[in-house]
Amino acid sequence: MRRMDVWAALVWALRDQRVDLVWAVNDDDRADTAGPRHSVTGVVLDMAALGGRIDGGGPRGGHDVDLDAEIIWLATLAMLREERTHMAIDGLFDDVPMRMQRYLRKATPVMDMIASARLGELPDWMPDGWRTGVSRRQLEESRLKYLGVWDALAVLAKRLQGSTRLGKVVEMPSFPRLPWHGRKKAVDS
């Protein structure tokens, strides 16, 4: 079995496989059941919901999506539903100081994770580099956004590690959770 970092797996599912578009779920907040599905799993789920018999034959249109990409997307959608219904997701923002609670109430780490994966870039935890002019609040909010994405990826990795159908071994993120620890602080000159 092939090993894959959870970040690489999510970027692969969204950018290469375009599984979110195939499942007809995009940024306009349509429900995951809205619109036609064009993946094998989606078509079978639709047929089963209607009580239809599945004979396994016949042509169908649409894109073929790797089964692993669909499993990754289904796990991500489950997390997104939990975030939208304001359910607590275990593992998000562990060890974050209480002074950050106001920001955490409006945080959307799963949406940020999906948006970052679509772009293929992690959020910037150090806006404008070490230059002065960035307020402490901006710096802390950018770090919390990065931390939220990292934690969401870690939760996704744990959920995917429990999957028996996944053809890949998904590992925790390979980059540090708190990259700013251990670095020298900027000294104003």
Side-chain angles (χ1 to χ4, degrees):
M1 244 186 233
R2 205 172 111 195
R3 296 187 160 296
M4 194 173 218
D5 178 78
V6 66
W7 172 249
L10 186 61
V11 169
W12 166 76
L14 291 174
R15 291 187 62 141
D16 297 343
Q17 294 291 309
R18 299 199 181 274
V19 70
D20 57 333
L21 298 177
V22 171
W23 272 81
V25 177
N26 50 27
D27 293 333
D28 60 0
D29 287 340
R30 288 187 289 165
D32 64 329
T33 56
R37 298 183 192 188
H38 299 291
S39 67
V40 174
T41 307
V43 170
V44 171
L45 287 173
D46 287 343
M47 290 174 68
L50 294 173
R53 193 174 129 244
I54 301 170
D55 65 4
R60 69 170 177 83
H63 303 284
D64 280 333
V65 176
D66 191 281
L67 179 62
D68 289 342
E70 288 191 20
I71 293 169
I72 291 166
W73 183 241
L74 285 172
T76 306
L77 275 180
M79 289 176 60
L80 186 59
R81 266 187 235 108
E82 291 172 22
E83 180 176 276
R84 286 183 176 163
T85 57
H86 304 291
M87 293 176 62
I89 301 174
D90 290 335
L92 288 179
F93 295 115
D94 288 343
D95 307 325
V96 173
M98 289 301 289
R99 69 178 189 270
M100 305 294 183
Q101 293 301 318
R102 183 174 48 184
Y103 174 79
L104 297 182
R105 277 187 239 122
K106 64 179 182 174
T108 55
V110 179
M111 272 307 281
D112 292 341
M113 174 185 72
I114 293 169
S116 295
R118 282 183 181 144
L119 294 173
E121 298 175 6
L122 288 168
D124 185 14
W125 57 269
M126 192 174 60
D128 294 330
W130 289 109
R131 285 185 266 151
T132 58
V134 176
S135 71
R136 182 157 183 80
R137 181 182 180 142
Q138 289 173 315
L139 183 65
E140 287 184 355
E141 285 184 357
S142 66
R143 288 181 177 181
L144 280 172
K145 186 173 183 176
Y146 173 91
L147 182 64
V149 169
W150 195 98
D151 286 354
L153 285 167
V155 170
L156 180 62
K158 287 178 186 172
R159 290 184 180 187
L160 291 173
Q161 287 169 353
S163 173
T164 57
R165 296 182 182 260
L166 199 60
K168 295 174 178 30
V169 176
V170 176
E171 297 176 335
M172 295 294 278
S174 59
F175 45 90
R177 181 176 187 245
L178 304 171
W180 48 90
H181 284 250
R183 292 203 178 219
K184 283 186 167 183
K185 294 203 175 198
V187 178
D188 294 332
S189 347

